[in-house]
Amino acid sequence: MTTTQQRPVAEGLFTWPPAAAPLRLIGSECTVCGLVSFPAASDCVRCASTESKERLLADRGTLWTYTTQDFRPPSPPYDGPEAFEPYAVGYIELPGELLVEARLTEPDPEKLRIGQDMRLTLVPYTVQDDGTEVMTFAFAPAEESAPSEEETP
């Protein structure tokens, strides 16, 4: 059995490696006014404080709105695979925290609905020339079965 090397699309966006801890997005909370931000920010956009603490965000939320990306975005900045497959993006409302813009695992708009329960997951973004699989976060409809132990990266 070969093991595929994996790495996160960017450091500090979500807990990594996946087997080390439950998957969570890494945000920040302003210690002065309480604003929650994602990705984590050292400066508060509400009160301009430079005092913040790391905060692991909820791994479940509801679909607030969405759209589909039916054509390959321009490069740069898009650096995903040449073989483009349409996907959906949306805003997920994490209860009591904030809205997170994210890729959705379900590309078919007929299978998505505003208010739908969603759960955080990891998906492949691209594969580097050396075979390393670059992983990013996404949200999946909560009704989809969670991956089994064998399928978990």
Side-chain angles (χ1 to χ4, degrees):
M1 178 173 134
T2 59
T3 303
T4 302
Q5 288 285 87
Q6 294 180 324
R7 72 167 187 80
V9 68
E11 295 293 328
L13 285 180
F14 48 86
T15 53
W16 187 266
L23 178 61
R24 302 291 284 275
L25 296 177
I26 301 170
S28 60
E29 181 177 352
C30 175
T31 58
V32 174
C33 73
L35 181 71
V36 178
S37 299
F38 178 79
S42 57
D43 296 339
C44 180
V45 297
R46 180 188 289 157
C47 73
S49 169
T50 57
E51 298 177 34
S52 66
K53 61 182 179 181
E54 184 177 285
R55 176 175 171 158
L56 296 180
L57 302 177
D59 62 352
R60 293 187 177 258
T62 56
L63 186 57
W64 191 73
T65 194
Y66 63 94
T67 190
T68 57
Q69 179 66 42
D70 296 319
F71 57 90
R72 190 176 196 279
S75 294
Y78 181 76
D79 63 353
E82 281 297 319
F84 178 79
E85 292 184 29
Y87 59 90
V89 293
Y91 281 98
I92 309 303
E93 184 175 13
L94 302 180
E97 294 178 320
L98 73 163
L99 294 174
V100 173
E101 182 180 5
R103 185 171 182 166
L104 306 178
T105 61
E106 178 54 66
D108 183 355
E110 297 297 319
K111 296 180 181 175
L112 296 169
R113 68 182 189 290
I114 293 174
Q116 185 171 17
D117 290 334
M118 305 294 281
R119 65 174 174 79
L120 181 64
T121 190
L122 291 178
V123 295
Y125 173 68
T126 192
V127 177
Q128 296 178 320
D129 291 339
D130 68 359
T132 300
E133 191 173 41
V134 179
M135 304 298 288
T136 191
F137 68 93
F139 279 84
E143 302 87 45
E144 289 181 8
S145 60
S148 66
E149 293 290 325
E150 298 83 42
E151 296 174 309
T152 304

mmCIF file of all heavy atoms in Angstrom, residues 2 22 25 31 53 59 81 86 92 94 98-99 102 111 115-116 123 149:
data_model
loop_
_atom_site.group_PDB
_atom_site.id
_atom_site.type_symbol
_atom_site.label_atom_id
_atom_site.label_comp_id
_atom_site.label_asym_id
_atom_site.label_seq_id
_atom_site.Cartn_x
_atom_site.Cartn_y
_atom_site.Cartn_z
ATOM 1 N N THR A 2 0.639 2.167 -0.943
ATOM 2 C CA THR A 2 1.409 3.397 -0.984
ATOM 3 C C THR A 2 0.669 4.483 -0.228
ATOM 4 O O THR A 2 -0.546 4.559 -0.254
ATOM 5 C CB THR A 2 1.639 3.854 -2.445
ATOM 6 O OG1 THR A 2 0.382 4.057 -3.050
ATOM 7 C CG2 THR A 2 2.447 2.838 -3.214
ATOM 8 N N PRO A 22 -9.427 16.729 15.898
ATOM 9 C CA PRO A 22 -10.625 16.903 15.083
ATOM 10 C C PRO A 22 -10.450 18.070 14.116
ATOM 11 O O PRO A 22 -9.831 19.081 14.460
ATOM 12 C CB PRO A 22 -11.721 17.205 16.101
ATOM 13 C CG PRO A 22 -11.204 16.681 17.403
ATOM 14 C CD PRO A 22 -9.701 16.811 17.327
ATOM 15 N N LEU A 25 -11.668 24.735 11.570
ATOM 16 C CA LEU A 25 -11.093 25.940 11.006
ATOM 17 C C LEU A 25 -10.464 26.730 12.145
ATOM 18 O O LEU A 25 -10.965 26.715 13.277
ATOM 19 C CB LEU A 25 -12.159 26.786 10.321
ATOM 20 C CG LEU A 25 -12.834 26.162 9.108
ATOM 21 C CD1 LEU A 25 -13.929 27.094 8.579
ATOM 22 C CD2 LEU A 25 -11.834 25.840 8.016
ATOM 23 N N THR A 31 -9.937 40.137 21.732
ATOM 24 C CA THR A 31 -10.117 40.094 23.189
ATOM 25 C C THR A 31 -10.720 41.382 23.733
ATOM 26 O O THR A 31 -11.103 41.436 24.890
ATOM 27 C CB THR A 31 -8.788 39.789 23.902
ATOM 28 O OG1 THR A 31 -7.833 40.786 23.546
ATOM 29 C CG2 THR A 31 -8.264 38.414 23.515
ATOM 30 N N LYS A 53 -7.015 36.329 20.209
ATOM 31 C CA LYS A 53 -6.600 34.982 20.603
ATOM 32 C C LYS A 53 -7.111 34.009 19.543
ATOM 33 O O LYS A 53 -8.132 34.244 18.886
ATOM 34 C CB LYS A 53 -7.135 34.617 21.982
ATOM 35 C CG LYS A 53 -8.652 34.603 22.076
ATOM 36 C CD LYS A 53 -9.123 34.279 23.481
ATOM 37 C CE LYS A 53 -10.651 34.306 23.522
ATOM 38 N NZ LYS A 53 -11.177 34.026 24.839
ATOM 39 N N ASP A 59 -17.466 23.088 13.619
ATOM 40 C CA ASP A 59 -17.284 22.256 12.427
ATOM 41 C C ASP A 59 -18.608 21.972 11.711
ATOM 42 O O ASP A 59 -18.646 21.215 10.739
ATOM 43 C CB ASP A 59 -16.575 20.948 12.772
ATOM 44 C CG ASP A 59 -17.358 20.091 13.749
ATOM 45 O OD1 ASP A 59 -18.389 20.553 14.293
ATOM 46 O OD2 ASP A 59 -16.937 18.940 13.980
ATOM 47 N N PRO A 81 -6.188 22.431 -10.686
ATOM 48 C CA PRO A 81 -5.877 21.518 -11.785
ATOM 49 C C PRO A 81 -6.371 22.048 -13.139
ATOM 50 O O PRO A 81 -7.371 22.754 -13.215
ATOM 51 C CB PRO A 81 -6.604 20.225 -11.400
ATOM 52 C CG PRO A 81 -7.574 20.608 -10.347
ATOM 53 C CD PRO A 81 -7.114 21.863 -9.713
ATOM 54 N N PRO A 86 -16.700 21.707 -12.576
ATOM 55 C CA PRO A 86 -17.523 22.702 -11.890
ATOM 56 C C PRO A 86 -17.700 22.350 -10.409
ATOM 57 O O PRO A 86 -17.702 21.170 -10.029
ATOM 58 C CB PRO A 86 -18.860 22.621 -12.630
ATOM 59 C CG PRO A 86 -18.505 22.119 -13.982
ATOM 60 C CD PRO A 86 -17.367 21.147 -13.748
ATOM 61 N N ILE A 92 -21.292 29.590 4.781
ATOM 62 C CA ILE A 92 -21.795 28.723 5.837
ATOM 63 C C ILE A 92 -21.871 29.558 7.110
ATOM 64 O O ILE A 92 -20.880 30.171 7.517
ATOM 65 C CB ILE A 92 -20.862 27.512 6.085
ATOM 66 C CG1 ILE A 92 -20.536 26.798 4.786
ATOM 67 C CG2 ILE A 92 -21.453 26.581 7.138
ATOM 68 C CD1 ILE A 92 -21.717 26.309 4.003
ATOM 69 N N LEU A 94 -21.769 29.721 10.815
ATOM 70 C CA LEU A 94 -21.362 28.963 11.991
ATOM 71 C C LEU A 94 -22.062 29.621 13.176
ATOM 72 O O LEU A 94 -21.846 30.802 13.451
ATOM 73 C CB LEU A 94 -19.841 28.986 12.150
ATOM 74 C CG LEU A 94 -19.044 28.432 10.953
ATOM 75 C CD1 LEU A 94 -17.551 28.501 11.236
ATOM 76 C CD2 LEU A 94 -19.485 27.025 10.606
ATOM 77 N N LEU A 98 -19.683 33.389 12.857
ATOM 78 C CA LEU A 98 -19.570 34.196 11.649
ATOM 79 C C LEU A 98 -19.986 33.394 10.428
ATOM 80 O O LEU A 98 -20.315 32.212 10.534
ATOM 81 C CB LEU A 98 -18.141 34.714 11.467
ATOM 82 C CG LEU A 98 -17.080 33.710 11.029
ATOM 83 C CD1 LEU A 98 -15.868 34.474 10.506
ATOM 84 C CD2 LEU A 98 -16.661 32.797 12.141
ATOM 85 N N LEU A 99 -19.972 34.055 9.273
ATOM 86 C CA LEU A 99 -20.181 33.398 7.988
ATOM 87 C C LEU A 99 -18.813 33.072 7.408
ATOM 88 O O LEU A 99 -17.914 33.913 7.425
ATOM 89 C CB LEU A 99 -20.915 34.313 7.002
ATOM 90 C CG LEU A 99 -22.348 34.680 7.330
ATOM 91 C CD1 LEU A 99 -22.860 35.713 6.322
ATOM 92 C CD2 LEU A 99 -23.236 33.456 7.299
ATOM 93 N N ALA A 102 -16.766 29.177 1.577
ATOM 94 C CA ALA A 102 -16.071 27.913 1.391
ATOM 95 C C ALA A 102 -16.563 27.190 0.141
ATOM 96 O O ALA A 102 -17.678 27.402 -0.319
ATOM 97 C CB ALA A 102 -16.284 27.008 2.610
ATOM 98 N N LYS A 111 -29.256 19.819 -5.391
ATOM 99 C CA LYS A 111 -29.103 19.068 -4.142
ATOM 100 C C LYS A 111 -28.724 19.968 -2.965
ATOM 101 O O LYS A 111 -28.410 19.477 -1.891
ATOM 102 C CB LYS A 111 -28.069 17.963 -4.318
ATOM 103 C CG LYS A 111 -28.507 16.919 -5.333
ATOM 104 C CD LYS A 111 -27.469 15.843 -5.483
ATOM 105 C CE LYS A 111 -27.915 14.817 -6.518
ATOM 106 N NZ LYS A 111 -26.855 13.825 -6.759
ATOM 107 N N GLY A 115 -30.269 27.091 4.275
ATOM 108 C CA GLY A 115 -30.686 26.561 5.572
ATOM 109 C C GLY A 115 -30.269 25.122 5.802
ATOM 110 O O GLY A 115 -30.459 24.587 6.889
ATOM 111 N N GLN A 116 -29.678 24.495 4.784
ATOM 112 C CA GLN A 116 -29.260 23.095 4.881
ATOM 113 C C GLN A 116 -28.114 22.950 5.888
ATOM 114 O O GLN A 116 -27.212 23.788 5.948
ATOM 115 C CB GLN A 116 -28.794 22.654 3.484
ATOM 116 C CG GLN A 116 -28.435 21.220 3.322
ATOM 117 C CD GLN A 116 -28.197 20.889 1.838
ATOM 118 O OE1 GLN A 116 -28.007 21.763 1.011
ATOM 119 N NE2 GLN A 116 -28.223 19.621 1.530
ATOM 120 N N VAL A 123 -10.952 18.294 1.252
ATOM 121 C CA VAL A 123 -11.023 17.797 -0.119
ATOM 122 C C VAL A 123 -9.701 18.090 -0.813
ATOM 123 O O VAL A 123 -9.012 19.049 -0.464
ATOM 124 C CB VAL A 123 -12.187 18.442 -0.918
ATOM 125 C CG1 VAL A 123 -13.529 18.043 -0.330
ATOM 126 C CG2 VAL A 123 -12.046 19.945 -0.992
ATOM 127 N N GLU A 149 -13.163 5.236 8.436
ATOM 128 C CA GLU A 149 -11.756 5.307 8.846
ATOM 129 C C GLU A 149 -10.835 5.057 7.670
ATOM 130 O O GLU A 149 -9.813 5.687 7.521
ATOM 131 C CB GLU A 149 -11.485 4.293 9.964
ATOM 132 C CG GLU A 149 -12.175 4.600 11.263
ATOM 133 C CD GLU A 149 -11.591 5.812 11.965
ATOM 134 O OE1 GLU A 149 -10.371 6.027 11.873
ATOM 135 O OE2 GLU A 149 -12.361 6.545 12.595
#
